[in-house]
Amino acid sequence: MITIKKKKNSRALKDAVEALSGVDLSLCFQCKKCSNGCPVAKLATTRPSEIMWLLHLGAGDELLSKDLVWMCASCETCSARCPMGIDVAAVMDALRRLALERGAPKPKGNVPLFNRAFLKTVETFGRSYEIGMITAYKLGTGKLMNDTEKFPAMLKKGKIALLPPRGADRKTVKRIFRKSKESKGAKA
Ligand code: SF4
Ligand code: SF4
């Protein structure tokens, strides 16, 4: 069961998410199509539709520590499936941004580590690079050889590439990361 703790900042979180994402949360009628298409919802303790509902009901900053906020892959399936045209992925982006800005406690486990590994490979290679990300993640967990049995088959079927992606505009991506770090530093 999910408990909503009414706090002083409840309204503020809903307003801040709406302002950052451009989404009108009151449009959601809980059809759950976003959750049914989400590739990570099964692994998380909450689902996109629940996040939408909790925000609408006035949940406070405890929502910023939900694991789905950090596990969301920004694939935008939820946004594409929503019959109301709600950009659910933008809501997730807004929640992550607010979690960082407000110093919300990170969920337990390796989700933040996975997030950092993903961002680091995008910053380095200009695009997502699975092997770089997996290596950084596994080095962080200290369990380099865990879950590696499917690796040869995935490689053989071309599911993951051995070499980094080509054609990415690395300079521009690096510049975006640098600007983002500078603006965070300015706010701190
Ligand atoms: S698909 Fe859209 S309307 Fe349906 S629950 Fe998700 S956000 Fe709400
Ligand atoms: S953008 Fe995030 S919340 Fe939406 S379907 Fe993809 S992983 Fe799930």
Side-chain angles (χ1 to χ4, degrees):
M1 195 175 88
I2 295 165
T3 309
I4 294 179
K5 297 175 200 157
K6 197 79 179 164
K7 291 185 180 167
K8 275 185 191 162
N9 64 4
S10 296
R11 180 81 204 151
L13 181 65
K14 185 181 176 192
D15 289 348
V17 168
E18 288 192 328
L20 280 173
S21 64
V23 162
D24 179 354
L25 291 163
S26 67
L27 291 177
C28 172
F29 66 102
Q30 285 297 298
C31 68
K32 299 184 174 56
K33 281 191 172 220
C34 51
S35 295
N36 292 339
C38 175
V40 298
K42 283 197 186 89
L43 306 169
T45 56
T46 41
R47 314 179 83 209
S49 53
E50 278 173 4
I51 297 274
M52 298 296 288
W53 186 232
L54 292 169
L55 273 170
H56 184 58
L57 290 180
D61 280 6
E62 68 274 9
L63 206 58
L64 300 175
S65 298
K66 293 285 179 196
D67 54 1
L68 183 66
V69 172
W70 295 96
M71 293 167 79
C72 167
S74 300
C75 68
E76 300 188 1
T77 306
C78 48
S79 306
R81 287 175 64 100
C82 178
M84 296 303 288
I86 299 170
D87 192 350
V88 186
V91 171
M92 294 297 164
D93 277 348
L95 287 169
R96 267 193 304 276
R97 194 167 146 188
L98 288 164
L100 288 170
E101 282 177 11
R102 297 182 180 185
K106 301 255 171 65
K108 289 197 179 88
N110 292 326
V111 175
L113 173 65
F114 183 84
N115 211 278
R116 278 200 304 279
F118 172 74
L119 287 175
K120 192 67 200 163
T121 53
V122 174
E123 183 180 6
T124 307
F125 300 104
R127 280 187 193 167
S128 141
Y129 171 41
E130 289 89 354
I131 291 190
M133 182 183 72
I134 292 166
T135 307
Y137 173 73
K138 288 199 162 289
L139 282 171
T141 61
K143 295 173 183 167
L144 211 54
M145 297 314 289
N146 266 22
D147 308 318
T148 50
E149 65 278 359
K150 292 203 169 93
F151 181 72
M154 288 174 80
L155 208 56
K156 200 171 165 192
K157 287 185 180 176
K159 299 286 182 196
I160 46 177
L162 209 47
L163 296 174
R166 297 170 65 175
D169 187 352
R170 294 187 187 189
K171 274 189 187 165
T172 303
V173 174
K174 274 191 198 298
R175 198 168 62 239
I176 292 168
F177 272 87
R178 198 172 54 245
K179 291 242 174 211
S180 164
K181 283 174 192 166
E182 282 167 7
S183 85
K184 270 185 212 153
K187 278 182 196 166

Short mmCIF file of all heavy atoms in Angstrom, two decimals, residues 22 28 40 50-51 57 74 118 125 139 153 180:
data_model
loop_
_atom_site.label_atom_id
_atom_site.label_comp_id
_atom_site.label_asym_id
_atom_site.label_seq_id
_atom_site.Cartn_x
_atom_site.Cartn_y
_atom_site.Cartn_z
N GLY A 22 5.88 20.91 -18.39
CA GLY A 22 4.83 21.44 -19.26
C GLY A 22 3.61 20.55 -19.30
O GLY A 22 2.76 20.67 -20.18
N CYS A 28 -4.61 13.25 -16.52
CA CYS A 28 -4.45 11.79 -16.41
C CYS A 28 -5.71 11.16 -15.83
O CYS A 28 -6.18 11.56 -14.77
CB CYS A 28 -3.24 11.48 -15.52
SG CYS A 28 -3.11 9.72 -15.13
N VAL A 40 10.68 -0.85 -17.77
CA VAL A 40 11.33 -1.05 -16.47
C VAL A 40 10.34 -1.13 -15.30
O VAL A 40 10.75 -1.39 -14.18
CB VAL A 40 12.39 0.05 -16.18
CG1 VAL A 40 13.50 0.02 -17.19
CG2 VAL A 40 11.77 1.42 -16.10
N GLU A 50 1.25 5.28 -11.39
CA GLU A 50 1.18 5.54 -9.95
C GLU A 50 1.86 6.87 -9.61
O GLU A 50 1.39 7.64 -8.78
CB GLU A 50 1.86 4.41 -9.17
CG GLU A 50 0.96 3.21 -8.99
CD GLU A 50 1.70 2.03 -8.37
OE1 GLU A 50 2.89 2.18 -8.01
OE2 GLU A 50 1.09 0.98 -8.26
N ILE A 51 2.99 7.09 -10.27
CA ILE A 51 3.70 8.36 -10.04
C ILE A 51 2.78 9.52 -10.43
O ILE A 51 2.68 10.52 -9.71
CB ILE A 51 5.00 8.41 -10.89
CG1 ILE A 51 5.97 7.30 -10.46
CG2 ILE A 51 5.64 9.79 -10.87
CD1 ILE A 51 6.88 7.62 -9.30
N LEU A 57 -2.35 13.67 -6.42
CA LEU A 57 -2.93 13.69 -5.08
C LEU A 57 -2.17 14.59 -4.12
O LEU A 57 -2.61 14.82 -3.00
CB LEU A 57 -2.96 12.27 -4.50
CG LEU A 57 -3.94 11.29 -5.15
CD1 LEU A 57 -3.85 9.94 -4.47
CD2 LEU A 57 -5.37 11.82 -5.08
N SER A 74 14.11 6.87 -20.10
CA SER A 74 13.73 7.97 -21.01
C SER A 74 13.44 7.46 -22.42
O SER A 74 13.74 8.13 -23.40
CB SER A 74 14.84 9.04 -21.06
OG SER A 74 15.07 9.58 -19.80
N PHE A 118 25.69 5.16 -17.11
CA PHE A 118 25.06 5.47 -18.40
C PHE A 118 25.44 6.88 -18.86
O PHE A 118 25.89 7.09 -19.99
CB PHE A 118 23.53 5.35 -18.26
CG PHE A 118 22.78 5.84 -19.46
CD1 PHE A 118 22.76 5.10 -20.63
CD2 PHE A 118 22.11 7.05 -19.44
CE1 PHE A 118 22.08 5.55 -21.76
CE2 PHE A 118 21.43 7.52 -20.55
CZ PHE A 118 21.42 6.77 -21.71
N PHE A 125 31.37 9.09 -25.12
CA PHE A 125 31.28 8.61 -26.51
C PHE A 125 30.26 9.38 -27.36
O PHE A 125 30.12 9.13 -28.55
CB PHE A 125 30.94 7.12 -26.54
CG PHE A 125 31.97 6.28 -25.83
CD1 PHE A 125 31.73 5.75 -24.57
CD2 PHE A 125 33.21 6.03 -26.42
CE1 PHE A 125 32.68 4.99 -23.91
CE2 PHE A 125 34.17 5.27 -25.77
CZ PHE A 125 33.91 4.75 -24.52
N LEU A 139 32.38 -2.34 -12.55
CA LEU A 139 33.52 -1.91 -11.73
C LEU A 139 33.01 -1.26 -10.45
O LEU A 139 33.56 -1.45 -9.36
CB LEU A 139 34.40 -0.93 -12.51
CG LEU A 139 35.33 -1.55 -13.55
CD1 LEU A 139 35.98 -0.45 -14.38
CD2 LEU A 139 36.40 -2.42 -12.89
N ALA A 153 26.38 -14.72 -26.40
CA ALA A 153 25.22 -14.88 -27.30
C ALA A 153 24.72 -13.50 -27.76
O ALA A 153 24.36 -13.32 -28.94
CB ALA A 153 24.11 -15.61 -26.56
N SER A 180 25.91 21.89 -18.34
CA SER A 180 25.03 21.40 -17.29
C SER A 180 25.75 21.41 -15.94
O SER A 180 25.18 21.83 -14.93
CB SER A 180 24.57 19.98 -17.65
OG SER A 180 24.03 19.35 -16.55
#
